[in-house]
């Protein structure tokens, strides 16, 4: 369709700005190159460039993509999610200044650009959906958004034009919705489970009648009477509506009960369960939390060792339905990813793709029949796994793959924290600690085997090697060194040393003390209460310093009491810490005798600052009722 596009530009907008929308990222570059080829065939390579090439030098110096740089020199640019923010800004500035005339953008960029043009060309109205392995039509809202880019608001006398290239059979369809009002329908019934789960957790819905009443206040209830066929209603009478809503509520609550998110009592009253509360707190789909719980409970080999769990956890994490269902554009670039896969695999030292990952995906294929059935490399879960491990290895990726990685990381921490809650609910100590370590690894882009000094800015492998030779292994060792010794060891410039000092000042240095209440009067079956006092020795607090993590985030902590011999988690609390905090943990006293426990203080953002304390309690025999009565009389 490039030749019709080129002809449309020459016919409708030979000198005025043009935006061309294409289905995928890969197509943006190919289309831009083809347009330049047609210009060369007409012996007018720079026909879309409306300034001197010397004026572009300052802008081109900020562009790292060589192909994009060459396109800009001839008045053509392309935009997709894989470009860096600087490159996107350069393209937008040159286009708005009318220095370049044509921009080729991917379909999803119609919502992410702040540009308007005299002419918009929509090249095809279908895109490839990797989930179903078929071509599907653009959403009508996307097409309307693309058409809306054809305007010049600062020149009111001009009229924008739009050319849509599509199949002949769809011509009348697009004419209809472009020239007539578009009805807006509700899709609440497609995601009603998560809404109901959240409302049950907050006790807005306490029984089935509350759920029906909840629906009567929604937009879907109003649209049912206006367009009953769209919602599969047999009629619009009160009886039809009542039966349809009752069936919808019954099916939805039944699904939530089967996923162990809620419980239904007396076939009417509903109450939240632990999994439902976790899903609502972390904004996770009910299918995802069900998958996490069922998968972990069915895999006793996960619990063998903390190292084995850490190896398997990245592969398990990205196998969750949350990733596949929420990344519609993620699957389009798998073909390009497969081309670079052989070298990609060799450069990941910590990868276990042949054992752990495929073992996990085989189990997924049997549990999720609607997903991709073959655990091969074109499975988006495998791609997600590879990109997550590339992030932990700090590999330099292309802008396109880096954008995919940021999509993964934006969801990873919520899912890791949900895994911690599920594991702690089951009382599994080692896997819960491993999940906490994974949160640190994802934030700092490190493996658990890497030196803690790798978190510091500008610390290359040569510097880390010199530090290890001097027995400097932690960030606290760096902080305790004399200035002259530190400068001689690191050999960094003043600006780089300032970055190191900024990180060290922000690195958490926390003093922990704990007290066992009534330590000498603990009886079996009673509550053992431990008060943990935390105080930050430095006064500088703020967001986590994590240059490889795409989002700003605040540091969080877990306080855990566990029995390392039985690998059981006894008590856990999650908290945020500014300067001081006091946390109270409790558990039921076990049988008579001496029992040893370990108190863990775990970060979710920094590596190397975790603390561990061992303590023991002496439990006496439970007091009998007669003893209680005599003590009361005394």
């Amino acid at each position: 369709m490039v030749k019709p596009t080129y002809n449309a530009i020459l016919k409708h907008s030979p000198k005025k700005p043009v935006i061309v929308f294409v289905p995928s990222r890969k197509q943006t570059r190919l289309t831009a190159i083809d347009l330049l080829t047609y210009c060369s065939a007409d012996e007018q390579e720079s026909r879309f460039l409306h300034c001197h090439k010397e004026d572009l030098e300052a802008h081109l110096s900020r562009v790292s993509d060589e192909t994009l740089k060459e396109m800009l020199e001839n008045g053509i640019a392309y935009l997709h999610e894989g470009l860096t923010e600087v490159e996107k800004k350069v393209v937008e500035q040159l286009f708005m200044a009318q220095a370049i005339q044509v921009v080729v953008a991917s379909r999803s960029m119609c919502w992410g650009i702040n540009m308007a043009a005299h002419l918009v060309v929509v090249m095809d109205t279908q895109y490839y959906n990797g989930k179903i392995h078929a071509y599907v039509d653009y959403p009508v809202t996307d097409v309307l958004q693309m058409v809306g880019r054809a305007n010049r608001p600062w020149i009111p006398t001009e009229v924008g034009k739009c050319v849509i290239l599509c199949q002949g059979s769809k011509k009348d369809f697009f004419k209809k919705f472009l020239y007539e009002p578009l009805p807006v329908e509700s899709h609440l019934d497609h995601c009603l489970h998560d809404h109901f789960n959240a409302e049950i957790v907050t006790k807005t819905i306490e029984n089935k009648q509350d759920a029906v009443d909840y629906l009567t206040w929604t937009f879907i209830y109003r649209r049912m009477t206006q367009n009953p066929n769209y919602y599969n209603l047999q009629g619009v009478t009160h009886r039809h509506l009542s039966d349809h809503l009752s069936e919808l509520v019954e099916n939805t609550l039944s699904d939530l009960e089967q996923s162990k998110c809620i419980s239904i009592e007396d076939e009417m009253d509903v109450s939240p369960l632990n999994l439902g509360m976790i899903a609502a707190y972390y904004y996770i789909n009910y299918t995802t939390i069900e998958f996490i719980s069922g998968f972990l409970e069915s895999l006793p080999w996960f619990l063998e060792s903390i190292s084995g769990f850490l190896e398997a956890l990245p592969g398990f994490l990205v196998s969750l339905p949350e990733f596949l269902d929420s990344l519609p554009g993620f699957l389009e670039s798998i073909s390009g990813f497969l081309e670079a896969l052989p070298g990609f695999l060799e450069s990941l030292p910590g990868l276990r793709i042949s054992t752990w990952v495929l073992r996990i995906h085989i189990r997924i294929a049997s549990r999720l029949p609607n997903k991709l059935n073959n655990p091969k490399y074109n499975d988006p879960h495998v791609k997600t796994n590879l990109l997550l491990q590339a992030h932990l290895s700090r590999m330099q990726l292309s802008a396109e793959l880096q954008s995919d990685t940021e999509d993964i990381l934006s969801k990873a921490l919520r899912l890791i924290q949900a895994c911690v809650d599920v594991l702690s609910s089951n009382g599994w100590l080692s896997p819960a600690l491993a999940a906490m370590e994974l949160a640190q690894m994802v934030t700092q882009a490190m493996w658990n085997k890497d030196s803690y000094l790798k978190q510091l800015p500008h610390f290359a492998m040569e510097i880390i090697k010199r530090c290890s030779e001097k027995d400097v292994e932690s960030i606290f060792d760096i902080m305790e060194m004399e200035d002259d010794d530190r400068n001689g060891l690191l050999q960094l410039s003043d600006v780089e040393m300032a970055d190191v000092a900024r990180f060290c000042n922000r690195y958490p240095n926390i003093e922990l003390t704990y007290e066992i209440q009534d330590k000498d009067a603990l009886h079996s079956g009673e509550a053992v209460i431990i008060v943990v006092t935390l105080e930050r020795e430095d006064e500088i607090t703020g967001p986590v310093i994590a240059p490889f993590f795409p989002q700003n985030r605040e540091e969080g902590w877990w306080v855990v009491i566990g029995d390392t011999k039985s690998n059981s988690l006894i008590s856990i609390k999650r908290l945020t810490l500014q300067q001081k905090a006091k946390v109270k943990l409790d558990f039921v006293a076990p049988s008579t005798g001496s029992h040893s426990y370990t108190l863990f203080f775990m970060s979710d953002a920094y590596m190397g600052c975790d603390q561990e304390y061992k303590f023991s309690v002496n439990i006496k025999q439970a007091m009998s009722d007669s003893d209680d009565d005599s003590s009361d009389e005394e």
Side-chain angles (χ1 to χ4, degrees):
M1 293 186 182
V2 181
K3 182 62 174 177
T5 300
Y6 181 72
N7 292 335
I9 294 173
L10 298 184
K11 178 180 179 181
H12 299 290
S13 186
K15 296 294 184 181
K16 297 176 182 177
V18 180
I19 299 177
V20 180
F21 287 105
V22 295
S24 65
R25 301 181 186 179
K26 184 178 180 181
Q27 200 65 37
T28 58
R29 181 179 300 183
L30 296 177
T31 302
I33 294 173
D34 289 343
L35 287 174
L36 181 58
T37 303
Y38 283 114
C39 293
S40 301
D42 292 343
E43 298 182 356
Q44 298 186 48
E45 286 190 1
S46 300
R47 75 182 311 160
F48 296 136
L49 181 66
H50 301 309
C51 68
H52 296 290
K53 290 189 177 181
E54 294 77 12
D55 299 335
L56 293 176
E57 291 181 358
H59 295 282
L60 296 180
S61 62
R62 301 160 60 192
V63 177
S64 57
D65 189 330
E66 294 298 329
T67 305
L68 178 59
K69 189 179 297 185
E70 182 180 352
M71 293 293 105
L72 289 172
E73 291 176 348
N74 294 281
I76 303 174
Y78 54 84
L79 272 177
H80 57 73
E81 301 85 342
L83 296 179
T84 64
E85 292 299 324
V86 174
E87 291 171 338
K88 292 178 184 177
K89 191 173 183 179
V90 167
V91 172
E92 185 174 332
Q93 289 175 344
L94 293 176
F95 184 78
M96 297 299 290
Q98 300 187 35
I100 60 175
Q101 182 181 344
V102 179
V103 169
V104 183
S106 60
R107 63 179 181 85
S108 55
M109 290 299 292
C110 68
W111 299 97
I113 58 177
N114 186 24
M115 298 188 300
H118 177 262
L119 172 67
V120 167
V121 181
V122 181
M123 288 179 59
D124 203 356
T125 57
Q126 290 184 325
Y127 70 97
Y128 183 75
N129 189 324
K131 288 195 289 184
I132 62 176
H133 297 285
Y135 286 91
V136 297
D137 293 329
Y138 285 179
V140 174
T141 51
D142 285 5
V143 178
L144 288 175
Q145 182 72 7
M146 295 175 190
V147 173
R149 295 295 176 186
N151 66 85
R152 304 290 280 171
W154 54 89
I155 309 178
T157 57
E158 285 199 16
V159 177
K161 296 182 180 180
C162 179
V163 176
I164 299 178
L165 305 178
C166 63
Q167 298 177 10
S169 59
K170 297 181 180 178
K171 186 175 180 180
D172 293 335
F173 166 74
F174 283 109
K175 278 185 177 181
K176 181 176 177 61
F177 85 75
L178 285 174
Y179 297 147
E180 298 179 8
L182 182 68
V184 179
E185 301 295 348
S186 172
H187 284 187
L188 178 63
D189 52 333
H190 297 180
C191 54
L192 192 58
H193 297 79
D194 297 320
H195 283 273
F196 273 4
N197 181 62
E199 299 299 343
I200 291 171
V201 170
T202 58
K203 297 191 181 302
T204 303
I205 296 176
E206 296 183 336
N207 53 60
K208 293 181 179 180
Q209 185 59 45
D210 289 345
V212 174
D213 295 340
Y214 175 86
L215 288 177
T216 60
W217 290 92
T218 61
F219 180 63
I220 190 174
Y221 181 76
R222 295 181 175 271
R223 290 304 304 170
M224 281 179 179
T225 58
Q226 303 298 322
N227 194 358
N229 290 335
Y230 187 84
Y231 300 99
N232 298 322
L233 261 72
Q234 303 299 321
V236 293
T237 64
H238 180 75
R239 179 63 180 271
H240 287 102
L241 280 173
S242 179
D243 291 345
H244 183 79
L245 291 178
S246 298
E247 182 182 2
L248 186 60
V249 167
E250 193 72 35
N251 293 338
T252 303
L253 295 181
S254 177
D255 291 341
L256 288 174
E257 184 183 29
Q258 290 180 6
S259 63
K260 299 180 182 179
C261 289
I262 66 170
S263 64
I264 302 177
E265 300 174 359
D266 301 329
E267 298 184 357
M268 178 57 73
D269 297 330
V270 294
S271 58
L273 297 179
N274 187 50
L275 292 182
M277 290 187 282
I278 294 174
Y281 183 79
Y282 293 110
Y283 298 97
I284 293 175
N285 296 339
Y286 83 102
T287 54
T288 299
I289 200 68
E290 177 190 12
F291 187 84
I292 292 175
S293 176
F295 200 73
L296 294 179
E297 291 176 359
S298 65
L299 295 178
W301 52 275
F302 257 179
L303 312 178
E304 294 173 1
S305 66
I306 192 170
S307 59
F309 186 82
L310 265 178
E311 285 184 3
L313 192 54
F316 160 69
L317 181 70
V318 300
S319 302
L320 300 176
E322 195 91 3
F323 283 107
L324 188 60
D325 294 337
S326 57
L327 296 176
F330 183 71
L331 311 178
E332 298 172 5
S333 55
I334 282 186
S335 58
F337 174 73
L338 291 176
E339 297 174 1
L341 186 60
F344 196 81
L345 292 176
E346 294 176 1
S347 56
L348 288 178
L351 198 60
R352 299 291 184 270
I353 193 69
S354 60
T355 55
W356 291 106
V357 177
L358 293 186
R359 185 177 179 183
I360 289 171
H361 285 32
I362 289 171
R363 291 174 179 264
I364 292 169
S366 63
R367 297 171 68 91
L368 295 175
N370 294 329
K371 306 301 179 186
L372 300 177
N373 292 324
N374 294 323
K376 296 181 180 179
Y377 290 121
N378 62 350
D379 187 331
H381 292 125
V382 176
K383 176 185 175 183
T384 309
N385 190 314
L386 294 175
L387 291 182
L388 179 60
Q389 299 203 42
H391 168 71
L392 299 180
S393 301
R394 295 189 178 181
M395 289 181 57
Q396 186 67 34
L397 302 175
S398 65
E400 187 176 57
L401 292 178
Q402 185 60 37
S403 175
D404 290 339
T405 305
E406 291 178 2
D407 289 338
I408 296 168
L409 298 177
S410 65
K411 300 173 179 58
L413 276 181
R414 287 189 296 111
L415 294 172
I416 291 173
Q417 291 171 352
C419 286
V420 171
D421 287 0
V422 173
L423 291 166
S424 59
S425 300
N426 287 277
W428 296 330
L429 179 62
S430 293
L433 296 177
M436 296 174 191
E437 287 188 30
L438 182 61
Q440 303 171 6
M441 293 159 54
V442 169
T443 303
Q444 296 296 336
M446 291 171 53
W447 291 97
N448 60 322
K449 300 176 184 178
D450 292 336
S451 170
Y452 296 145
L453 299 178
K454 196 175 180 180
Q455 299 173 91
L456 288 163
H458 313 297
F459 265 56
M461 292 306 299
E462 304 83 40
I463 299 178
I464 295 176
K465 185 177 181 181
R466 289 201 302 267
C467 292
S468 62
E469 292 173 354
K470 297 290 185 178
D471 293 331
V472 178
E473 298 179 350
S474 70
I475 295 176
F476 294 115
D477 294 339
I478 294 288
M479 297 167 65
E480 292 171 359
M481 294 180 66
E482 297 293 336
D483 292 344
D484 294 338
D485 295 339
R486 187 190 303 114
N487 294 334
L489 178 63
L490 303 185
Q491 301 174 16
L492 297 174
S493 65
D494 293 341
V495 175
E496 292 172 337
M497 284 299 296
D499 292 338
V500 173
R502 174 172 166 268
F503 183 93
C504 292
N505 290 333
R506 192 74 60 82
Y507 191 74
N509 185 9
I510 298 171
E511 181 180 353
L512 184 149
T513 58
Y514 65 93
E515 178 186 1
I516 305 174
Q517 292 188 355
D518 299 328
K519 185 176 181 180
D520 298 328
L522 299 177
H523 299 275
S524 179
E526 296 181 352
V528 179
I529 300 175
I530 299 178
V531 179
V532 179
T533 304
L534 304 165
E535 183 173 357
R536 191 185 294 269
E537 294 188 0
D538 48 1
E539 298 183 357
I540 301 176
T541 59
V544 175
I545 299 180
F548 292 91
F549 194 78
Q551 299 173 340
N552 292 332
R553 57 180 301 251
E554 300 293 330
E555 64 181 50
W557 300 87
W558 287 282
V559 182
V560 180
I561 297 177
D563 185 350
T564 55
K565 291 183 178 179
S566 61
N567 195 21
S568 57
L569 190 148
I570 308 299
S571 182
I572 184 172
K573 284 286 180 68
R574 178 165 171 80
L575 71 149
T576 57
L577 176 63
Q578 295 299 324
Q579 293 299 328
K580 294 181 180 180
K582 184 174 289 188
V583 184
K584 183 181 293 186
L585 295 93
D586 61 86
F587 59 93
V588 178
S591 58
T592 305
S594 179
H595 299 270
S596 298
Y597 298 101
T598 305
L599 176 66
F600 298 92
F601 183 54
M602 305 288 294
S603 171
D604 71 345
Y606 293 103
M607 301 185 70
C609 59
D610 300 332
Q611 301 182 38
E612 182 177 327
Y613 301 89
K614 296 184 180 299
F615 67 94
S616 59
V617 292
N618 189 20
I619 307 299
K620 299 179 180 178
Q621 187 175 359
M623 297 179 64
S624 62
D625 295 339
S626 58
D627 294 336
D628 293 341
D629 295 340
S630 61
S631 61
D632 291 341
E633 292 174 0
E634 292 175 4

